[in-house]
Amino acid sequence: MWRNRKRDLMIICGVALIGALLPLGVADFFRYLVVLVSIYGIAALGLNIFMGYCGQINMGSAGFFCIGAYVPTMLQVKYELHYLIGFPLAILFSLLVAWLLSYPLLRLKGHAMAIGTLSFGMAVYLIAERFPELTGGADGITVPAMTIPGVEVGDKFYYYLILACFLFSYLGCYFLMDSRIGRALKAIRDDEDAALALGINIDQYKRFAWLVNSALMSVAGSLFAQQAGFLSPSTFALWTSISVLVMICVGGLGTNLGSVLGAAIMTLLPYILVSIQEYIMLTQGIILFCVLRFMPDGIVGTLPKLIRRNGRSKQAVAGSGEVAL
Amino acid sequence: MDSYLSDLVPIIIVGLSLGSLFGLVGLAYTVIINATQLVNFGQGDFAMVGVAVCWALIAKLGLPLWVAFPLAVVAGGAMGFITNAIIVTPLLKKDVHPFYPILGTMSVGTIAAGAVGIFTGFYWMPIEHFLGNEPLKVGGIPMDTQGLLIIGTTVAIVTAYWYLLHKTRLGLALRATGFNREVSLLAGIQVGKMASLSFVISGIIAAIAGVLCAPFSAFTATDGMILGINGFIALIVGGWGNPYAALLGGVLVGMIRALIVGYISSAHAELATFLVLMVVLTIKPQGLFAGFMMPKTMNSAR
């Protein structure tokens, strides 16, 4: 266990180092792709904790993404509150919303939970679109650039900020899932009744996973707003929830690595495969279909079986061996 | 006060037609749920495929409606059959988690929406009112003919479905499959065929609903999802796995929506739908009319 962890940490540090050095050598477009993958990676990690590890269903994650994007932006536009205050406030606000929602939603199971969370996501989207005085309405709103005295806030600053947030989230999820909490969540996923019999407080742990999910989605939303520079409610429609869901299914439910890989694949593939916006929906549908039909364990669950590697991938397989949702 | 009351009758008609539309989509879900215990997240896209076929036949090939409509319905049924054949049955055989076949139906729906979207450029697929734009006047109150048509069709379809389910051997087999798959298999029911049949019936109902509502709302390739969600809300508000409860739930949701559009503002109607759903999920998660018209044994088949 410990040797594995040492190796994993070294790999993560290596990735961090490569990430930190990247802007020196590569084109702006490539840097932009890394930023996008990091943002969606954070979102996917969050959803994965709730869906992959805890085995619940969340089809409205874009709601928290939306809150994370709009709260700091509107605070800046309306009250000129600095982003460094706005970001934590956004997280607190989405935690509050998630905590309130956890009472009706987490009692539900299966399809009822799916439609409940979905309706939350749609409700947030509709609020963003139909209340112009609150959010700028359907026309969208320009996100003012961040200013920090003494620091040049440019592309590179955002690159490092977003990369740092991503690595921090990944490490957090990594340690969380190795801990007592992670084991409890997996136990709930595998068999709720058995977990209850073992003395695991199911409600508390589900709520915890739901809160972590909301917080990470909100962080991703805040970073997305900064990176995009413009917010339009249609960005946060149902489709965003579904594409994050597709990401974690493609990568492999219940693995942190899988979530990030899935985020990378689903973000990059449209850039590689198609240059026309109209084809993206079809492409994503086909990818989801192929993954479900031909490798239901996702990439992290399937590839190691094919190439028979040891170490980290073996551990990943152990995590996703039973693809319980 | 007087104008409020005189507005009320048209609003009720709109609410009823909207509600029966949602109920019809909810019924389409219920058909599959009753036979396989699965939710088909591609349901709205079945309806969208029906609309797309109907629109393409009328606008591109110049066929009359009475030819295009049945062909669109056939396309909806085919869509259901294909979904079941290429993803649902293979995934059920693999014995994966129950949510995976559901995601599978969603992926097929997304592919359909994406393909139709490329074909139409995600623009509207307009279909004319079936009986002309002129509203029918009953006692001085104008009534939209399309809305009346939707209400009538819904009543007819629900009656037909009730007859199929409760008065025929086929319906008995369908109900038995949903009630207990293994025992039905032992009793000699072709369970696989029943699942397939339920998808076909569901696709047919969804396509009818889609084509009927297309003249009302400007339907685009991605709007199938919205219709599907509204139908699913009708189903959850009404009651799980109960076609009549889904219809009642649809009428309730449609009424609330029409009243809000009529008296408050059209911008908040959709939001209200989701709030109603949240309230129902909070106070009565099994649905408001869960036991309505259903024998007790069917309720325990959840």
Side-chain angles (χ1 to χ4, degrees), chain A residues 161-174:
Chain A
L161 174 74
I162 290 168
L163 197 70
C165 286
F166 168 69
L167 286 169
F168 186 70
S169 315
Y170 190 89
L171 276 179
C173 291
Y174 180 78

Side-chain angles (χ1 to χ4, degrees), chain A residues 107 111 115 130 293 296 325, chain B residues 86 94 232 240 267 270 282:
Chain A
R107 290 188 310 158
H111 316 111
I115 192 69
R130 303 286 162 78
R293 180 73 178 79
L325 180 78
Chain B
I86 64 174
K94 268 188 195 162
F232 197 38
W240 180 259
E270 283 174 68
T282 311

Side-chain angles (χ1 to χ4, degrees), chain A residues 72 82-92 146 161 222-223 226:
Chain A
H82 197 273
Y83 282 114
L84 295 181
I85 306 167
F87 285 162
L89 281 181
I91 297 175
L92 282 181
M146 199 194 299
L161 174 74
S222 302
L223 296 176
Q226 282 300 309

Side-chain angles (χ1 to χ4, degrees), chain A residues 57 104 107 111 115-116 119 122-123 126 130-131 238-239 242 249 253 279 282 285 289 292-293 296 323 325, chain B residues 39 86-87 91 94 97 99-100 102-104 106 110-111 118 225 229 232 240 267 270-271 274 277 281-282:
Chain A
I57 300 170
R107 290 188 310 158
H111 316 111
I115 192 69
S119 68
M122 290 296 282
L126 287 171
R130 303 286 162 78
F131 290 85
L238 180 62
W239 189 239
I242 292 176
C249 288
L253 277 175
Y279 286 71
L282 183 66
F289 178 83
L292 289 174
R293 180 73 178 79
V323 180
L325 180 78
Chain B
V39 176
I86 64 174
I87 189 112
L91 279 183
K94 268 188 195 162
H97 188 275
F99 195 57
Y100 266 54
I102 298 169
L103 268 182
M106 195 168 80
T110 310
I111 292 174
I118 290 169
M225 196 74 173
I229 290 172
F232 197 38
W240 180 259
E270 283 174 68
L271 196 57
F274 292 111
L277 176 73
L281 283 178
T282 311

Side-chain angles (χ1 to χ4, degrees), chain B residues 4 6 11 32 45 60 77 81 85 89 97 102 129 158 170 204 218 247 253 257 280 287:
Chain B
Y4 270 78
S6 64
I11 285 175
I32 294 178
D45 295 305
K60 301 276 173 185
F81 181 79
T89 312
H97 188 275
I102 298 169
H129 277 55
V158 171
L170 187 65
I204 288 173
L247 191 62
V253 172
R257 223 169 134 151
V280 171

